[in-house]
Amino acid sequence: MTSFEGGDLVKISYSVLLLTLCLFVSFFLVFFFKMKKQIRLLENILYVDPITGGYNDNKFREVASKLLKDSSGTYAIGCVNINNFRYINDMYGIECGNKVLADMFKKINDIVQDEGCYARVIADHFEFIVKYFDRETFIYVLKTYLSNIEANINDTDKVALKCSCGLYFVEDNNEKISHMLDKADIAIKSISEANSSEINVYDDKYANVLARNQKYTLSMEKALKDNEFKVYVQPKIDLITEKCIGGEALVRWISPSMGFISPGEFIPLFEKNGFITEIDMFVLEQICKDISKRLSENKHVVTISVNQSRLHLNNKYYVNNIEEIINKYNIPAQYIELELTENSFLDITYEIIGIINRLRRQGFSVSIDDFGSGYSSLNILKDISFDVLKIDQIFLNATDNDDRSASIIKSVIDMAHEIDEKVVCEGVETKEQVELLKKLGCDIVQGYYYAKPMPLEEFNAYLDSH
Ligand code: C2E
Ligand code: CA
Ligand code: CA
């Protein structure tokens, strides 16, 4: 029989304690490294742009703000767009397009060097902040630099990138970074469709645009509550029967103090501040309510399309939210078409493809709006199935003096029919255009030739009388 002395017991207790401590330390180390790895992963998602491997917009804002606070130098903040990027994407494919974006990122590094920071925001849109000494010299150097950028397409081919740039010379380092970026953005948006490299500098003449935007931002929520947003509908006409087979809902802001405000003025702002998602759901709800009322009165009902901002595609509850609205009014999904502009698909992810497929499975029609205006029209059709393709008005305008434009429309119509999609042509204003589109095989038209957008109640009367 073994007997333990007091000293043995103490030794055993020490060993157990040591073992527990070792176990605890190893668990702690494993946990610590795992956490560190996860934090790094999270940081990557939050702060790194997957295409260039550099900063994304979030990180840029953080670093740029710190830079301005810690430094007393003079800074310029700018944004750069590649004007001809969509041709590169369409002609050489998305993979090559991504490589061009990464190359462009390196070129911006050459401009900024160690004197600031830079990032890709989205698609072909970059931003930077850089120290400068003399405005004229800085603009001269930047202009020379931007007009000589080439990107490698493959081992042998290069393509010249045509860029535009909006600049804001920082006056007060304590100004909010978002305000400074807004100013650079206004400067770039004010560049006309020039085909060459161009730099536009923000100055006070743009201040009224900022003031107007601020006024709209302050009043938008109350305006929605007070029913200042009105739904207009523009009829869509079947080209074979010449009957109204649907309509597109278009929002208007009729403010008692500011008057009639067209969507072109407030939609881009709402896209930026996110309020557009509420407007879109409001419009959808008004349309559902109206369809439900007409169905209960046994009146003729047509499918109405509603414009949907690309911001919805980042919301995992988007499809559920839409379903909730149509269930609330108990209307079949077939009466609703969701229009998403081509620019909603700048990045095509599995999540986005999933959303479109889910909507279509639920019975909604999904259309691709402004087809041909974005930078990657054909790639989108390759990856996502739609029900309707809406040809951008610019193609139609171009047909007036150009047979090639008519041939392009014809090819788009044939291709859409090949993949079982209907074609709507927008902005039809003349009889000649109607005749041409009939000849080219277009299915549906929409435009002032038949009817302008009208208040919802007027559209109902129009439907009843046609
Ligand atoms: P869109 O979706 O491309 O809408 C067509 C625009 O073309 C409308 O401008 C319409 O009034 C106009 N239009 C229709 N027929 C003709 C024509 O024959 N000639 C000409 N020159 N124009 C015609 P609107 O109503 O000013 O809307 C502008 C844009 O605002 C829309 O372009 C759409 O992108 C956006 N939008 C309007 N309502 C909403 C909305 O509820 N939600 C979202 N997300 N966007 C909206
Ligand atoms: Ca539309
Ligand atoms: Ca359109």
Side-chain angles (χ1 to χ4, degrees):
M1 218 168 104
T2 326
S3 63
F4 288 104
E5 305 261 322
D8 289 340
L9 273 177
V10 172
K11 268 190 214 155
I12 291 172
S13 311
Y14 271 135
S15 310
V16 171
L17 196 70
L18 205 67
L19 200 70
T20 319
L21 203 69
C22 283
L23 273 175
F24 179 75
V25 171
S26 358
F27 273 133
F28 176 76
L29 283 176
V30 170
F31 178 72
F32 177 75
F33 284 115
K34 246 190 174 163
M35 276 296 282
K36 220 170 150 189
K37 205 170 148 197
Q38 275 188 339
I39 289 174
R40 213 173 302 137
L41 214 72
L42 207 67
E43 270 180 355
N44 258 343
I45 294 170
L46 288 176
Y47 295 132
V48 178
D49 168 38
I51 298 220
T52 61
Y55 289 169
N56 65 9
D57 185 38
N58 286 339
K59 186 72 180 172
F60 173 81
R61 286 168 191 247
E62 193 183 306
V63 176
S65 305
K66 198 165 173 324
L67 200 72
L68 285 168
K69 265 202 190 92
D70 297 348
S71 166
S72 54
T74 45
Y75 281 91
I77 229 170
C79 46
V80 176
N81 276 355
I82 309 176
N83 302 350
N84 55 339
F85 186 64
R86 72 177 161 126
Y87 301 111
I88 295 167
N89 241 1
D90 265 350
M91 277 186 69
Y92 304 103
I94 286 189
E95 213 170 294
C96 178
N98 286 350
K99 213 179 125 309
V100 168
L101 292 175
D103 280 357
M104 180 71 195
F105 191 71
K106 286 191 200 126
K107 309 278 178 190
I108 295 186
N109 174 48
D110 296 344
I111 300 172
V112 175
Q113 297 184 3
D114 294 335
E115 299 289 351
C117 67
Y118 53 97
R120 187 183 76 107
V121 189
I122 188 170
D124 57 338
H125 191 82
F126 297 81
E127 59 198 359
F128 65 83
I129 180 164
V130 65
K131 210 179 226 177
Y132 74 93
F133 296 100
D134 166 70
R135 285 189 187 191
E136 263 78 61
T137 318
F138 174 71
I139 292 176
Y140 178 77
V141 172
L142 190 63
K143 206 171 218 165
T144 317
Y145 197 85
L146 288 179
S147 51
N148 285 305
I149 295 186
E150 280 189 333
N152 293 319
I153 293 299
N154 49 41
D155 291 343
T156 49
D157 299 325
K158 282 180 181 231
V159 63
L161 300 184
K162 292 187 178 128
C163 302
S164 44
C165 172
L167 261 191
Y168 171 60
F169 288 109
V170 178
E171 281 160 13
D172 169 9
N173 282 19
N174 291 317
E175 192 180 349
K176 266 191 181 168
I177 195 88
S178 58
H179 290 176
M180 299 184 195
L181 285 169
D182 280 350
K183 289 176 180 172
D185 204 43
I186 287 181
I188 202 170
K189 287 206 174 108
S190 309
I191 297 179
S192 58
E193 283 287 303
N195 215 15
S196 63
S197 299
E198 210 171 314
I199 296 176
N200 193 28
V201 181
Y202 175 89
D203 68 32
D204 283 342
K205 72 171 177 279
Y206 298 121
N208 48 0
V209 179
L210 278 182
R212 186 196 72 185
N213 285 354
Q214 249 160 17
K215 202 158 143 195
Y216 289 170
T217 310
L218 285 175
S219 15
M220 62 192 189
E221 285 184 20
K222 187 169 180 304
L224 184 58
K225 277 196 203 103
D226 293 349
N227 271 322
E228 289 179 20
F229 291 98
K230 301 285 175 211
V231 177
Y232 276 47
V233 179
Q234 183 174 35
K236 288 184 194 165
I237 311 295
D238 181 305
L239 266 186
I240 294 178
T241 61
E242 296 220 44
K243 290 221 162 82
C244 171
I245 46 84
E248 174 177 6
L250 294 155
V251 71
R252 306 283 179 258
W253 185 355
I254 303 173
S255 153
S257 58
M258 297 182 283
F260 185 96
I261 310 169
S262 75
E265 273 184 70
F266 61 84
I267 300 267
L269 171 72
F270 290 180
E271 288 269 358
K272 250 174 124 187
N273 64 25
F275 194 60
I276 189 66
T277 55
E278 284 188 48
I279 293 289
D280 284 351
M281 291 303 161
F282 165 79
V283 172
L284 175 66
E285 183 149 5
Q286 298 302 306
I287 291 297
C288 289
K289 202 190 278 182
D290 186 68
I291 290 177
S292 158
K293 184 164 172 280
R294 284 185 71 85
L295 283 174
S296 69
E297 290 165 355
N298 274 328
K299 285 190 173 154
H300 177 54
V301 169
V302 292
T303 298
I304 303 289
S305 60
V306 289
N307 289 287
Q308 299 286 283
S309 158
R310 69 171 170 203
L311 296 186
H312 296 290
L313 298 179
N314 302 326
N315 175 2
K316 62 178 177 178
Y317 301 111
Y318 173 53
V319 182
N320 293 354
N321 294 346
I322 297 238
E323 276 170 2
E324 234 170 64
I325 297 180
I326 67 154
N327 289 342
K328 179 172 164 193
Y329 293 96
N330 199 20
I331 64 162
Q334 74 190 61
Y335 290 125
I336 299 295
E337 181 177 315
L338 303 157
E339 290 194 10
L340 282 145
T341 64
E342 202 186 284
N343 284 338
S344 312
F345 304 100
L346 293 177
D347 295 316
I348 303 175
T349 59
Y350 285 117
E351 285 78 18
I352 290 182
I353 298 175
I355 289 178
I356 304 299
N357 288 344
R358 237 180 100 193
L359 288 168
R360 296 184 69 224
R361 269 200 309 272
Q362 302 293 334
F364 296 101
S365 285
V366 181
S367 48
I368 178 157
D369 199 1
D370 302 341
F371 186 79
S373 68
Y375 75 52
S376 189
S377 321
L378 295 177
N379 282 309
I380 300 170
L381 288 190
K382 182 169 71 60
D383 292 328
I384 309 180
S385 303
F386 295 92
D387 300 281
V388 179
L389 191 151
K390 294 191 86 175
I391 298 184
D392 196 71
Q393 192 177 359
I394 49 168
F395 284 103
L396 199 58
N397 291 343
T399 57
D400 289 348
N401 41 23
D402 183 2
D403 283 346
R404 287 180 63 211
S405 302
S407 307
I408 293 174
I409 296 189
K410 170 98 177 93
S411 319
V412 172
I413 293 172
D414 290 347
M415 178 187 62
H417 287 164
E418 196 79 25
I419 52 178
D420 263 349
E421 290 178 12
K422 287 223 172 227
V423 178
V424 178
C425 226
E426 294 187 277
V428 177
E429 291 178 350
T430 64
K431 189 164 173 48
E432 290 71 39
Q433 290 174 334
V434 171
E435 293 310 322
L436 175 70
L437 289 169
K438 271 187 189 167
K439 220 168 68 196
L440 300 179
C442 174
D443 306 289
I444 298 160
V445 291
Q446 184 183 338
Y448 297 168
Y449 178 71
Y450 286 103
K452 288 195 168 177
M454 52 189 95
L456 185 53
E457 311 76 51
E458 232 171 82
F459 176 73
N460 280 332
Y462 175 94
L463 257 190
D464 294 338
S465 65
H466 283 71

PDB file of all heavy atoms in Angstrom, residues 248 307 339 341 369-371 390-393 426, ligand 3:
ATOM      1  N   GLU A 248     -44.894  53.784 -65.288  1.00  0.00           N
ATOM      2  CA  GLU A 248     -43.731  53.907 -64.405  1.00  0.00           C
ATOM      3  C   GLU A 248     -44.016  54.983 -63.366  1.00  0.00           C
ATOM      4  O   GLU A 248     -44.417  56.098 -63.706  1.00  0.00           O
ATOM      5  CB  GLU A 248     -42.474  54.294 -65.195  1.00  0.00           C
ATOM      6  CG  GLU A 248     -41.289  54.556 -64.251  1.00  0.00           C
ATOM      7  CD  GLU A 248     -39.969  54.887 -64.954  1.00  0.00           C
ATOM      8  OE1 GLU A 248     -39.958  55.029 -66.197  1.00  0.00           O
ATOM      9  OE2 GLU A 248     -38.958  55.017 -64.240  1.00  0.00           O
ATOM     10  N   ASN A 307     -39.072  52.760 -59.367  1.00  0.00           N
ATOM     11  CA  ASN A 307     -37.607  52.857 -59.400  1.00  0.00           C
ATOM     12  C   ASN A 307     -37.039  52.459 -58.043  1.00  0.00           C
ATOM     13  O   ASN A 307     -37.569  52.879 -57.007  1.00  0.00           O
ATOM     14  CB  ASN A 307     -37.184  54.286 -59.743  1.00  0.00           C
ATOM     15  CG  ASN A 307     -37.492  54.609 -61.187  1.00  0.00           C
ATOM     16  OD1 ASN A 307     -36.828  54.126 -62.085  1.00  0.00           O
ATOM     17  ND2 ASN A 307     -38.534  55.400 -61.400  1.00  0.00           N
ATOM     18  N   GLU A 339     -37.540  48.574 -61.049  1.00  0.00           N
ATOM     19  CA  GLU A 339     -36.533  49.064 -62.004  1.00  0.00           C
ATOM     20  C   GLU A 339     -35.243  49.383 -61.269  1.00  0.00           C
ATOM     21  O   GLU A 339     -35.225  50.187 -60.349  1.00  0.00           O
ATOM     22  CB  GLU A 339     -37.018  50.357 -62.679  1.00  0.00           C
ATOM     23  CG  GLU A 339     -38.147  50.148 -63.633  1.00  0.00           C
ATOM     24  CD  GLU A 339     -38.393  51.362 -64.541  1.00  0.00           C
ATOM     25  OE1 GLU A 339     -37.552  52.301 -64.553  1.00  0.00           O
ATOM     26  OE2 GLU A 339     -39.418  51.368 -65.233  1.00  0.00           O
ATOM     27  N   THR A 341     -31.305  50.675 -61.998  1.00  0.00           N
ATOM     28  CA  THR A 341     -30.479  51.207 -63.093  1.00  0.00           C
ATOM     29  C   THR A 341     -29.236  50.345 -63.255  1.00  0.00           C
ATOM     30  O   THR A 341     -28.797  49.672 -62.325  1.00  0.00           O
ATOM     31  CB  THR A 341     -30.017  52.657 -62.852  1.00  0.00           C
ATOM     32  OG1 THR A 341     -29.173  52.651 -61.719  1.00  0.00           O
ATOM     33  CG2 THR A 341     -31.162  53.587 -62.664  1.00  0.00           C
ATOM     34  N   ASP A 369     -32.740  49.361 -65.902  1.00  0.00           N
ATOM     35  CA  ASP A 369     -33.072  50.709 -66.380  1.00  0.00           C
ATOM     36  C   ASP A 369     -31.838  51.379 -66.976  1.00  0.00           C
ATOM     37  O   ASP A 369     -30.712  51.042 -66.616  1.00  0.00           O
ATOM     38  CB  ASP A 369     -33.550  51.511 -65.155  1.00  0.00           C
ATOM     39  CG  ASP A 369     -34.338  52.739 -65.537  1.00  0.00           C
ATOM     40  OD1 ASP A 369     -34.549  52.971 -66.743  1.00  0.00           O
ATOM     41  OD2 ASP A 369     -34.756  53.472 -64.625  1.00  0.00           O
ATOM     42  N   ASP A 370     -32.071  52.331 -67.865  1.00  0.00           N
ATOM     43  CA  ASP A 370     -30.982  53.123 -68.470  1.00  0.00           C
ATOM     44  C   ASP A 370     -29.925  52.227 -69.106  1.00  0.00           C
ATOM     45  O   ASP A 370     -28.724  52.514 -69.024  1.00  0.00           O
ATOM     46  CB  ASP A 370     -30.301  54.036 -67.428  1.00  0.00           C
ATOM     47  CG  ASP A 370     -31.296  54.978 -66.782  1.00  0.00           C
ATOM     48  OD1 ASP A 370     -32.382  55.177 -67.362  1.00  0.00           O
ATOM     49  OD2 ASP A 370     -30.999  55.503 -65.696  1.00  0.00           O
ATOM     50  N   PHE A 371     -30.377  51.162 -69.755  1.00  0.00           N
ATOM     51  CA  PHE A 371     -29.426  50.223 -70.334  1.00  0.00           C
ATOM     52  C   PHE A 371     -28.575  50.922 -71.392  1.00  0.00           C
ATOM     53  O   PHE A 371     -29.088  51.596 -72.268  1.00  0.00           O
ATOM     54  CB  PHE A 371     -30.153  49.017 -70.955  1.00  0.00           C
ATOM     55  CG  PHE A 371     -29.224  47.954 -71.446  1.00  0.00           C
ATOM     56  CD1 PHE A 371     -28.646  47.059 -70.561  1.00  0.00           C
ATOM     57  CD2 PHE A 371     -28.884  47.875 -72.789  1.00  0.00           C
ATOM     58  CE1 PHE A 371     -27.767  46.094 -71.000  1.00  0.00           C
ATOM     59  CE2 PHE A 371     -28.001  46.913 -73.241  1.00  0.00           C
ATOM     60  CZ  PHE A 371     -27.438  46.025 -72.343  1.00  0.00           C
ATOM     61  N   LYS A 390     -34.674  48.260 -70.349  1.00  0.00           N
ATOM     62  CA  LYS A 390     -35.109  49.600 -70.757  1.00  0.00           C
ATOM     63  C   LYS A 390     -33.946  50.331 -71.421  1.00  0.00           C
ATOM     64  O   LYS A 390     -32.926  50.594 -70.775  1.00  0.00           O
ATOM     65  CB  LYS A 390     -35.595  50.405 -69.549  1.00  0.00           C
ATOM     66  CG  LYS A 390     -36.854  49.846 -68.937  1.00  0.00           C
ATOM     67  CD  LYS A 390     -37.454  50.806 -67.923  1.00  0.00           C
ATOM     68  CE  LYS A 390     -38.353  51.824 -68.578  1.00  0.00           C
ATOM     69  NZ  LYS A 390     -39.035  52.691 -67.574  1.00  0.00           N
ATOM     70  N   ILE A 391     -34.122  50.620 -72.698  1.00  0.00           N
ATOM     71  CA  ILE A 391     -33.018  51.261 -73.434  1.00  0.00           C
ATOM     72  C   ILE A 391     -32.970  52.743 -73.107  1.00  0.00           C
ATOM     73  O   ILE A 391     -33.985  53.442 -73.163  1.00  0.00           O
ATOM     74  CB  ILE A 391     -33.177  51.046 -74.951  1.00  0.00           C
ATOM     75  CG1 ILE A 391     -33.123  49.549 -75.259  1.00  0.00           C
ATOM     76  CG2 ILE A 391     -32.105  51.800 -75.720  1.00  0.00           C
ATOM     77  CD1 ILE A 391     -33.175  49.222 -76.727  1.00  0.00           C
ATOM     78  N   ASP A 392     -31.786  53.228 -72.789  1.00  0.00           N
ATOM     79  CA  ASP A 392     -31.602  54.616 -72.401  1.00  0.00           C
ATOM     80  C   ASP A 392     -31.964  55.558 -73.555  1.00  0.00           C
ATOM     81  O   ASP A 392     -31.723  55.274 -74.723  1.00  0.00           O
ATOM     82  CB  ASP A 392     -30.144  54.831 -72.006  1.00  0.00           C
ATOM     83  CG  ASP A 392     -29.964  56.101 -71.229  1.00  0.00           C
ATOM     84  OD1 ASP A 392     -30.411  56.143 -70.084  1.00  0.00           O
ATOM     85  OD2 ASP A 392     -29.406  57.057 -71.784  1.00  0.00           O
ATOM     86  N   GLN A 393     -32.525  56.694 -73.149  1.00  0.00           N
ATOM     87  CA  GLN A 393     -32.999  57.692 -74.118  1.00  0.00           C
ATOM     88  C   GLN A 393     -31.894  58.203 -75.053  1.00  0.00           C
ATOM     89  O   GLN A 393     -32.165  58.572 -76.187  1.00  0.00           O
ATOM     90  CB  GLN A 393     -33.560  58.870 -73.322  1.00  0.00           C
ATOM     91  CG  GLN A 393     -34.327  59.839 -74.173  1.00  0.00           C
ATOM     92  CD  GLN A 393     -34.912  60.951 -73.302  1.00  0.00           C
ATOM     93  OE1 GLN A 393     -34.745  60.955 -72.086  1.00  0.00           O
ATOM     94  NE2 GLN A 393     -35.579  61.877 -73.928  1.00  0.00           N
ATOM     95  N   GLU A 426     -37.306  54.288 -73.880  1.00  0.00           N
ATOM     96  CA  GLU A 426     -37.760  55.471 -73.130  1.00  0.00           C
ATOM     97  C   GLU A 426     -37.540  56.746 -73.921  1.00  0.00           C
ATOM     98  O   GLU A 426     -36.709  56.792 -74.819  1.00  0.00           O
ATOM     99  CB  GLU A 426     -36.931  55.602 -71.859  1.00  0.00           C
ATOM    100  CG  GLU A 426     -37.109  54.517 -70.881  1.00  0.00           C
ATOM    101  CD  GLU A 426     -36.363  54.871 -69.599  1.00  0.00           C
ATOM    102  OE1 GLU A 426     -35.147  54.624 -69.534  1.00  0.00           O
ATOM    103  OE2 GLU A 426     -37.002  55.400 -68.687  1.00  0.00           O
TER     104      GLU A 426
HETATM  105 CA    CA B   3     -34.541  55.277 -67.447  1.00  0.00          CA
END
